[in-house]
Amino acid sequence: MFLLLIVVIVLPADASDDRQYTALHFGASINDYIAFKYNMAPFQDSFSICTWIKRVDTSASSPLVFDYEPSHEILLSSNGRYNHFLADGDLNRKESVFTTPVGSWFNYCITWSLASRSINLYLDGNLVGTGTTDSGRALKMGGTLYFNILYTTSSSSFIFGGQLYQFNIFSKALSSADVKKIADGGMCLDLTEFSGTGDLRWEYILSQSRSGSVREVEIDIDDNDTVECLKTLLRRSQERLTNVTGRLNETESQLSGTEVKLNTTLKELGYVRGELERTESELQTESAQHNKTGEQLGTCSTSLTSTLTHLDTCSTSLTSTLTQLEGARTFHNITRWDVLYTTPYFNKVLTEELFQQLSSSWGMLGKFVGVNITEGVVNHFSQFHKEPVCNVFKQMSIPMLSKLY
């Protein structure tokens, strides 16, 4: 895990650092160039351009390293023939001070500010020329930046055809001491301390599209720069190591916290697993109970069907019983002597057989107590010498003989 984290942290810094030691080699054709737009507003009132230049091709009479349009607002040559800034040509025709041999690197810086109106040209940290811009003259905006060609012509006389390294435009006029420090620091010097907001950095130029045979090359460091480069490399390595160590310690702390959280999570997962197993067991029990309940419901369904059939039978029986009860209610409400008007008894001699039928139908003739009856009927019934009958009739009133005829 730690090795992976180190790779993630260190590799981007190494990759970026490698590009800081990459130069651009321009061919001698008009098709070999770089061109792009850039917001030049940070440089409107002051700027400094510093770069390392190596002359390779010597066929061009006026080799232009850089041309900022519109109208050649800034021209920078590698042999001193054209050094044109904000319409000032005081630094043109300076071939005599560009004495570095072909094939060797030299440091080139110019500085300018609107307040001072002064343009200063430095070679290898030494002031070799000055110029003056018009009062109130600021840098024009909206132009395009060109490298290795003159924008308005296709002539090969203006092709640089050499190598360029660490081309930076700073948004302030560097002091002579700053320029000297950059030159003496060599090609490996870290320029971070001179940088400001809105600067055009070399890394940005390296990221732009290229035309023709423009390519990246490793810089050829002179022996005089070796010690400084080694010091710079050592310092940067120490800074990266400190940075990586800090991040590694932070990562270890985070991993320690993560390990604690992981252990807690594992315990929670163990508890959850136990709960899941318990729930699964309960579900199995519930499933068995469900199956049993289903069987019971099936039995209940059969029993319910049988009960419904029985209820249908009971309903029929109840209907019949209700009919019987209605008949019995009607029978119970009739006058007891009215029974004598029915077919079995009306106009018939009350024989013992009929008496028995009447007695069994009514239960007891005592129910006739209080019913009006004639004396003739009483006498008629008395011939049977039935003691219960006589006793009953003796308790009845005599009037309303008409009820019998």
Side-chain angles (χ1 to χ4, degrees), residues 324-343:
Q324 293 174 1
L325 288 174
E326 180 63 25
R329 184 186 66 78
T330 304
F331 181 75
H332 176 75
N333 291 335
I334 66 174
T335 304
R336 302 296 185 251
W337 279 102
D338 288 344
V339 177
L340 297 176
Y341 286 92
T342 61
T343 302

Side-chain angles (χ1 to χ4, degrees), residues 364-398:
M364 290 296 295
L365 288 176
K367 293 182 178 181
F368 288 117
V369 174
V371 178
N372 295 326
I373 193 169
T374 63
E375 185 177 0
V377 173
V378 175
N379 294 334
H380 180 72
F381 282 127
S382 296
Q383 64 181 314
F384 293 98
H385 303 288
K386 300 291 185 181
E387 188 64 28
V389 175
C390 294
N391 291 336
V392 170
F393 284 171
K394 286 179 181 180
Q395 299 176 43
M396 297 180 180
S397 58
I398 301 303

Side-chain angles (χ1 to χ4, degrees), residues 242-294:
T242 301
N243 186 34
V244 169
T245 301
R247 294 188 182 184
L248 182 58
N249 291 335
E250 181 182 353
T251 301
E252 288 179 344
S253 177
Q254 293 174 349
L255 286 176
S256 178
T258 302
E259 184 177 4
V260 174
K261 292 181 181 179
L262 179 60
N263 291 333
T264 302
T265 302
L266 288 175
K267 291 180 181 179
E268 293 176 350
L269 287 176
Y271 172 77
V272 172
R273 181 177 181 180
E275 288 295 305
L276 287 175
E277 291 176 350
R278 183 179 63 80
T279 302
E280 184 178 2
S281 176
E282 292 177 352
L283 286 175
Q284 291 177 352
T285 302
E286 291 291 336
S287 178
Q289 184 65 32
H290 176 74
N291 294 335
K292 182 178 179 181
T293 303

